[in-house]
Amino acid sequence: MNNLVRVSRDNDIAVITIDNPPVNALSPGVPEGIGAAIDEMNNDPAVKAGVVIGAGRTFVAGADIKEFGKMTAGGPRRSLLPLLLHIEDSRKPVVMAIHGQAFGGGLELAMAGHYRVASPTAQVGQPEVKLGIIPGAGGTQRLPRLVGVAKAVEMCTEGKPMPAPEAVVFGLVDALIEGDLLAGALAFARDAVGKPAPKTRMRTEKLGTDTDNDAVLAGARSIVAKRQRGLKAPLAAIDAIEAGTKLSFEEGCQAEAKLFTECLFSDQSKALIHVFFGEREVAKIPDVPRETPVLPVNRVAVVGSGTMGGGIAMVFANAGIPVLLKDVGQAALDVGMGKIRKNYANSVQRGRFTQAFVDERLQLITPVLNYDAFSAVDMVVEAVFEGMALKKEVFAELDRACRPGAILASNTSTLNIDEIAGATSRPEAVIGTHFFSPANVMRLLEIVRGNKSSKEVIATCMQLSKKLGKIGVLVGNCRGFVGNRMFGPYRREAQFLVEEGAEVEAVDQALVEFGNAMGPLATGDLAGLDVGWRIRKEYRHLEKPGVRQPFAEDRLCELGRYGQKTLKGWYQYDENRRASADPEVTTLVRKWSAEAGIAQREISSEEIVDRCIYALVNEGARILEEGYALRAVDIDIIYLNGYGFPAYRGGPMWYADTVGLTRVYQRICEFQQKHGELWAPAPLLKRLAEERKTFAEFDKEQVVAA
Ligand code: 3H9
């Protein structure tokens, strides 16, 4: 035994407690401790059965993910399989008592017990696929034996948690324990004494026939190919489960181990593990420590009931927070509320929410036409039309209407938050909360720190983002903040490529094959090409003379081709907004390029990807150096959650690390020679390339410096 696992006695039952905070991961020492505890139980004649339970907030969240990096760097490979066989072969029955989560190796551990009982709020799952791996401790072999092949495939490919009550229905959990879990588990264990203890690996009744399984597995492979395009782990999980249906348990475990190792050593897994820790890292702000006091956010208001405002109101309502939705006229408010109702109705239709849930949420949204009730709210999110004069007017109004201490947030995507804060007498209360469209769906929330935003306001918004189901990333106040500032050069290159001879579809296709959810030109059509056009017109005076600027999109806008909303943009659209290539666009762009003297040439998909993605990386490096993002990983998390960048590539900065910064830098220098100053390499990129370092190493240096 060791201090990570302890054994106590409740009369004739041994209680084996795993105590490895914060989540009882199976770090080195924990499996050894459990093994020793099982031995102690079996060797003690006074003990008749055992209960395994987790201390603290959870059962076991799985293998220690930090250990994977050590393994792939040449460290020892630890297998849990022998321990799990040891538990399953225990002479005395073992009851696994689950609260919180039994995830990954935690569920594999639980399945090796003879019985599983759980608190009603517990969750079980095999989320390994989200880390680019598959269950590696017999999960692909034991799970189908308990829940059947189809459910096991679903759990291992999607990685979603299953609530305990559902786990009972599927036979994964034997009983729910209301009230005290340990007391219930002890009673269950006493009842099991003297009865034959079922070993999961010996069970075959749910394994199904080859014919049934072939159909299930083929169906799952085709779903994965569509929904998890480019990901290797879900397919590997299906292969491992298939092996379990055709081979013995031992052979199935061998097949699983081989596939697990292949996945673990893949770039995809390394990227996804980077994302796992990155999502947690972004919550850490060096000068806003965890213990910073947070302000209460129990009632909020949203100003502006347009698409963004309505979506933001839904986000708060979905989190159970009452929200006032304000607009200037009844007609606008009716349209806004109508859209919210329609969105909710669609969610009910798609089975995402129940009607009762939606009814409750709608009750939480109160449409209002003035600021009268604003004195009672803790936070306001302004989401009016993107214009500085209007924003200032609204903030001056909020300053008058809101109580001291209320947070005044702006959903601006481009404007200067300090200038907005200047319209109030309390700039310390002002902050940017940049939601992404559709706000009720997209996970990203850029939290824009103004010069004077107080630490309490920052800490509150960071914490609130989690409550809202968002991932909050703190960014600095520069034009476009982090996400949109980088998106500019990315979309600029996409346009340049078309102006130089690439087909519109070829540009989008290359980036979709890279793994992006959508190509840059199709994204422009979706968002509305006129949005960027208007902004560019406003900022034209800032463009450096003699530096090449893209023209195709502006010209398309001059022809009224604004994208999907006008059914014409880079593509043409039918009435259902289905896109097809538009030969007119090709003709027009070729003509404009000839007039501008731009030589036409064949462009490879490799060049398309390099130009667009390295444009992101170069701008990202500038942002990092200028301090507008805290770490490279913050930029990655922004791109994965707000811009459809493929998670299995880890984000643009991580991707650049995997390519090698020297190579990225050299390619950028080539582009600079061919295409001019817009491609001047970021000084930080140059330095890291010369020092043969990575952005990940840069992040570590930052942490040390802080
Ligand atoms: C696996 O099991 C493979 C097996 O098949 C065996 C193969 C041999 N390891 O998320 P939180 C840290 S693969 C190490 O903020 P919450 C986390 O980084 C694993 N560390 O809390 C954070 O640290 P910090 C399969 C872990 O309450 C702290 O714990 N399992 C692990 O919002 C708190 O985490 C999974 O993929 C871990 N396994 O959520 C489950 N888990 O404070 C992954 C967490 O320094 N974990 N940490 O930033 C989760 O889904 C959530 O953490 C959980 C709690 C829902 C459990």
Side-chain angles (χ1 to χ4, degrees):
M1 225 81 44
N2 51 42
N3 56 355
L4 300 170
V5 180
R6 31 173 212 274
V7 185
S8 58
R9 282 263 304 275
D10 186 284
N11 295 319
D12 53 349
I13 310 290
V15 178
I16 302 171
T17 306
I18 304 170
D19 191 1
N20 182 26
V23 292
N24 294 331
L26 297 167
S27 318
V30 175
E32 293 79 355
I34 299 171
I38 295 289
D39 286 341
E40 186 180 316
M41 174 188 87
N42 279 316
N43 293 336
D44 185 342
V47 170
K48 302 274 186 303
V51 168
V52 178
I53 194 163
R57 66 206 227 202
T58 193
F59 179 68
V60 172
D64 185 338
I65 302 169
K66 286 197 265 336
E67 292 298 308
F68 292 146
K70 296 181 198 161
M71 279 190 214
T72 51
R77 170 85 208 273
R78 296 165 198 277
S79 173
L80 287 174
L81 286 168
L83 168 71
L84 303 191
L85 286 176
H86 188 58
I87 298 172
E88 209 168 35
D89 288 339
S90 157
R91 280 182 274 109
K92 299 173 185 173
V94 178
V95 177
M96 300 287 176
I98 304 168
H99 73 296
Q101 286 85 18
F103 280 173
L107 180 56
E108 290 172 306
L109 169 70
M111 290 190 292
H114 305 109
Y115 304 98
R116 285 150 296 282
V117 298
S119 300
T121 53
Q123 295 176 313
V124 296
Q126 300 284 177
E128 287 88 343
V129 70
K130 294 187 183 160
L131 302 170
I133 54 175
I134 65 168
T140 61
Q141 307 302 304
R142 285 195 179 86
L143 189 60
R145 286 172 160 80
L146 290 173
V147 301
V149 173
K151 197 68 196 172
V153 164
E154 185 191 307
M155 289 176 73
C156 292
T157 55
E158 293 181 2
K160 286 192 198 144
M162 179 191 266
E166 194 183 335
V168 172
V169 174
F170 280 97
L172 185 49
V173 164
D174 299 292
L176 287 188
I177 307 282
E178 305 278 350
D180 188 76
L181 176 65
L182 180 59
L186 287 169
F188 196 99
R190 280 201 178 94
D191 200 43
V193 172
K195 297 181 185 157
K199 295 185 185 185
T200 306
R201 73 175 193 274
M202 302 295 193
R203 294 172 63 170
T204 52
E205 73 273 14
K206 287 197 179 167
L207 281 184
T209 65
D210 278 353
T211 322
D212 289 348
N213 290 338
D214 286 348
V216 167
L217 297 165
R221 285 188 175 104
S222 87
I223 290 175
V224 163
K226 270 189 231 126
R227 293 198 197 146
Q228 291 165 294
R229 184 169 52 89
L231 272 176
K232 292 182 190 143
L235 292 170
I238 299 174
D239 290 349
I241 292 173
E242 181 170 34
T245 63
K246 299 208 155 85
L247 306 170
S248 68
F249 177 81
E250 288 69 24
E251 289 165 328
C253 285
Q254 281 162 17
E256 179 194 84
K258 186 166 172 285
L259 289 158
F260 173 84
T261 306
E262 278 168 23
C263 288
L264 183 66
F265 280 79
S266 70
D267 281 346
Q268 291 198 352
S269 168
K270 289 176 191 155
L272 288 162
I273 289 174
H274 160 73
V275 175
F276 175 85
F277 287 115
E279 287 194 349
R280 283 142 186 95
E281 190 67 18
V282 295
K284 295 168 190 159
I285 318 289
D287 70 329
V288 184
R290 239 175 230 209
E291 51 284 4
T292 307
V294 292
L295 305 164
V297 181
N298 299 322
R299 284 163 183 281
V300 302
V302 174
V303 184
S305 68
T307 311
M308 279 317 283
I312 296 167
M314 289 172 75
V315 170
F316 282 106
N318 291 345
I321 301 174
V323 48
L324 302 173
L325 181 62
K326 183 197 173 291
D327 215 315
V328 280
Q330 192 60 49
L333 209 47
D334 290 345
V335 172
M337 286 303 293
K339 273 196 198 145
I340 291 175
R341 281 198 198 92
K342 196 165 159 223
N343 274 335
Y344 274 132
N346 287 342
S347 301
V348 173
Q349 220 169 24
R350 282 199 303 268
R352 197 170 155 235
F353 293 145
T354 62
Q355 188 59 49
F357 176 90
V358 163
D359 291 344
E360 250 175 55
R361 304 302 133 183
L362 276 168
Q363 287 287 321
L364 291 173
I365 307 177
T366 311
V368 293
L369 286 169
N370 55 47
Y371 292 102
D372 291 352
F374 274 47
S375 56
V377 302
D378 304 313
M379 177 174 182
V380 183
V381 180
E382 163 279 310
V384 302
F385 186 77
E386 193 75 349
M388 184 52 90
L390 179 62
K391 302 253 178 202
K392 281 184 173 171
E393 237 174 73
V394 171
F395 272 77
E397 200 65 58
L398 293 176
D399 197 21
R400 279 190 287 275
C402 296
R403 66 165 176 78
I407 298 175
L408 308 183
S410 171
N411 181 51
T412 179
S413 55
T414 44
L415 300 175
N416 186 330
I417 203 76
D418 290 328
E419 206 178 326
I420 296 175
T424 73
S425 63
R426 42 172 132 173
E428 69 287 352
V430 178
I431 194 161
T433 48
H434 178 206
F435 288 82
F436 285 71
S437 183
N440 52 319
V441 177
M442 299 295 285
R443 258 186 101 207
L444 178 62
L445 181 62
E446 270 187 335
I447 296 175
V448 189
R449 178 179 198 158
N451 251 335
K452 297 195 174 140
S453 310
S454 77
K455 291 186 182 181
E456 288 78 7
V457 167
I458 294 170
T460 306
C461 289
M462 292 299 294
Q463 204 186 68
L464 178 68
S465 59
K466 200 167 178 187
K467 188 165 179 200
L468 298 180
K470 304 285 171 204
I471 179 139
V473 185
L474 190 69
V475 298
N477 180 28
C478 58
R479 211 176 110 211
F481 313 126
V482 170
N484 283 349
R485 174 168 160 187
M486 287 167 66
F487 209 53
Y490 168 76
R491 293 204 65 259
R492 172 198 81 205
E493 286 306 309
Q495 287 191 66
F496 279 165
L497 287 157
V498 178
E499 292 170 9
E500 290 164 31
E503 294 296 334
V504 171
E505 310 87 284
V507 171
D508 279 345
Q509 187 58 28
L511 285 148
V512 168
E513 273 165 23
F514 174 79
N516 281 2
M518 250 180 139
L521 302 170
T523 307
D525 274 2
L526 177 69
L529 301 180
D530 55 320
V531 180
W533 179 46
R534 279 183 229 286
I535 295 171
R536 281 190 296 279
K537 278 199 283 191
E538 202 172 311
Y539 289 104
R540 194 128 287 163
H541 61 284
L542 297 179
E543 285 169 10
K544 273 200 209 155
V547 175
R548 179 182 174 191
Q549 295 296 336
F551 53 75
E553 213 158 271
D554 289 353
R555 298 274 180 90
L556 291 174
C557 285
E558 283 160 20
L559 296 173
R561 300 186 68 117
Y562 293 171
Q564 289 198 17
K565 61 176 116 170
T566 56
L567 301 184
K568 276 175 192 282
W570 284 107
Y571 295 86
Q572 55 187 344
Y573 297 85
D574 66 16
E575 59 288 358
N576 296 319
R577 298 208 169 177
R578 256 192 307 262
S580 60
D582 190 343
E584 197 189 327
V585 172
T586 313
T587 312
L588 283 168
V589 180
R590 298 290 160 262
K591 179 171 154 271
W592 295 330
S593 296
E595 285 163 9
I598 297 174
Q600 302 293 289
R601 61 194 172 89
E602 286 275 316
I603 299 180
S604 68
S605 45
E606 187 202 347
E607 178 178 343
I608 294 171
V609 169
D610 284 359
R611 292 243 323 249
C612 293
I613 302 296
Y614 294 169
L616 280 180
V617 173
N618 204 30
E619 195 62 26
R622 280 185 207 288
I623 287 174
L624 204 51
E625 187 158 41
E626 291 164 16
Y628 292 110
L630 278 169
R631 293 152 292 228
V633 68
D634 292 43
I635 298 178
D636 286 337
I637 298 303
I638 287 176
Y639 260 76
L640 301 179
N641 291 286
Y643 294 85
F645 199 93
Y648 63 79
R649 293 201 190 268
M653 312 312 272
W654 179 265
Y655 171 71
D657 278 354
T658 58
V659 173
L661 295 192
T662 313
R663 219 171 112 197
V664 173
Y665 171 67
Q666 281 164 354
R667 193 87 166 115
I668 287 179
C669 291
E670 262 173 49
F671 293 151
Q672 185 188 19
Q673 272 185 349
K674 279 194 201 138
H675 305 289
E677 270 322 285
L678 285 171
W679 274 106
L684 175 65
L685 177 64
K686 180 171 188 287
R687 170 167 77 77
L688 293 176
E690 283 168 357
E691 292 173 3
R692 305 210 167 268
K693 284 194 175 152
T694 59
F695 286 119
E697 283 165 333
F698 172 81
D699 278 0
K700 281 196 196 122
E701 285 170 10
Q702 300 297 102
V703 172
V704 173

